[in-house]
Amino acid sequence: DTAVSQTPKYLVTQMGNDKSIKCEQNLGHDTMYWYKQDSKKFLKIMFSYNNKELIINETVPNRFSPKSPDKAHLNLHINSLELGDSAVYFCASSQDWNNEQFFGPGTRLTVL
Amino acid sequence: AQSVTQLGSHVSVSEGALVLLRCNYSSSVPPYLFWYVQYPNQGLQLLLKYTSAATLVKGINGFEAEFKKSETSFHLTKPSAHMSDAAEYFCAVSRGIQGAQKLVFGQGTRLTINP
């Protein structure tokens, strides 16, 4: 069984469009995260939710809006996509703050 | 603020040789440190973690790392490289924020294994 899953795996879209990436975890964890990995493989946290409450909100354009309908899901909606948004986006989850994070397989977003 | 520096963006070793990937951290509080591995087109997987217990930490796939406070280092080693070890390796430092874990990653080190 997949622990952390993301859909879609690949997303190709035009500049200016709005798109969403979905994430689900079946580990029963309380906390979920979104990361962005750029073309140089650098990973940076974007958001974190704990029990559906936004805990970490890094310096991210407000075109990015996370939504957590329940503890097992954390979706990422992106408005007015720009070329610089092209990256691989990873979802992750953890039980608490000092344990490992489990990562999804990633969503490769390409903005044309 | 916490930060991590990985020395060497690319390391190449021969199969069977020692693997050494370097990581130095900066943290104003006792750090929790992690090594993650990323195989091509996959997500990250935990190799090992240091959480203020034993300074020598053993992980999966024969990897280990030693926490050295005096050197602010957490280098990753493996005595004998295998072809399957070829991947991107990330060192990270973390701190807790209201139940969440903020991981700050290094730049990553790509490990290549030569036959």
Side-chain angles (χ1 to χ4, degrees):
Chain A
D1 279 347
T2 304
V4 182
S5 59
Q6 295 178 228
T7 54
K9 189 167 176 60
Y10 299 97
L11 186 51
V12 181
T13 188
Q14 300 286 333
M15 266 196 314
N17 284 350
D18 303 339
K19 290 293 177 185
S20 291
I21 307 172
K22 295 186 176 182
C23 178
E24 177 181 1
Q25 55 97 2
N26 63 6
L27 298 167
H29 289 165
D30 289 336
T31 309
M32 296 184 72
Y33 310 80
W34 276 111
Y35 289 87
K36 180 180 180 180
Q37 186 174 45
D38 64 23
S39 58
K40 295 184 179 180
K41 300 281 188 179
F42 184 65
L43 267 162
K44 192 171 189 325
I45 190 167
M46 301 171 69
F47 303 103
S48 176
Y49 271 74
N50 180 268
N51 273 318
K52 301 194 298 176
E53 182 184 352
L54 181 63
I55 301 296
I56 297 173
N57 186 353
E58 291 293 285
T59 308
V60 176
N62 57 15
R63 298 181 294 104
F64 289 78
S65 54
K67 284 187 173 54
S68 182
D70 56 57
K71 256 183 21 172
H73 296 84
L74 180 61
N75 304 323
L76 183 64
H77 188 76
I78 316 170
N79 289 327
S80 303
L81 279 155
E82 300 177 357
L83 293 176
D85 297 332
S86 295
V88 181
Y89 292 85
F90 287 100
C91 177
S93 72
S94 69
Q95 180 51 40
D96 48 45
W97 71 274
N98 63 351
N99 274 312
E100 72 174 288
Q101 292 185 23
F102 290 80
F103 284 77
T107 295
R108 183 175 295 276
L109 171 65
T110 303
V111 182
L112 304 174
Chain B
Q2 295 178 309
S3 66
V4 169
T5 301
Q6 291 182 239
L7 298 174
S9 59
H10 184 204
V11 170
S12 181
V13 302
S14 298
E15 192 174 15
L18 171 72
V19 174
L20 170 61
L21 304 183
R22 299 177 188 274
C23 171
N24 288 90
Y25 70 89
S26 171
S27 177
S28 56
V29 297
Y32 278 30
L33 294 159
F34 300 79
W35 275 101
Y36 281 85
V37 60
Q38 184 180 27
Y39 298 104
N41 299 313
Q42 294 186 28
L44 277 72
Q45 178 184 359
L46 181 71
L47 274 178
L48 49 80
K49 65 179 180 182
Y50 168 77
T51 56
S52 75
T55 55
L56 183 62
V57 181
K58 294 189 183 300
I60 62 171
N61 301 339
F63 284 93
E64 63 182 35
E66 187 171 8
F67 172 72
K68 291 187 177 180
K69 184 178 177 181
S70 60
E71 298 177 9
T72 61
S73 69
F74 190 55
H75 301 331
L76 182 71
T77 59
K78 181 174 180 177
S80 177
H82 192 272
M83 295 299 290
S84 61
D85 294 328
E88 192 88 20
Y89 290 80
F90 294 92
C91 181
V93 63
S94 81
R95 68 182 180 102
I97 304 177
Q98 295 177 254
Q101 179 192 72
K102 182 176 177 180
L103 277 176
V104 175
F105 286 93
Q107 309 92 312
T109 298
R110 182 160 59 99
L111 177 64
T112 302
I113 311 296
N114 303 312

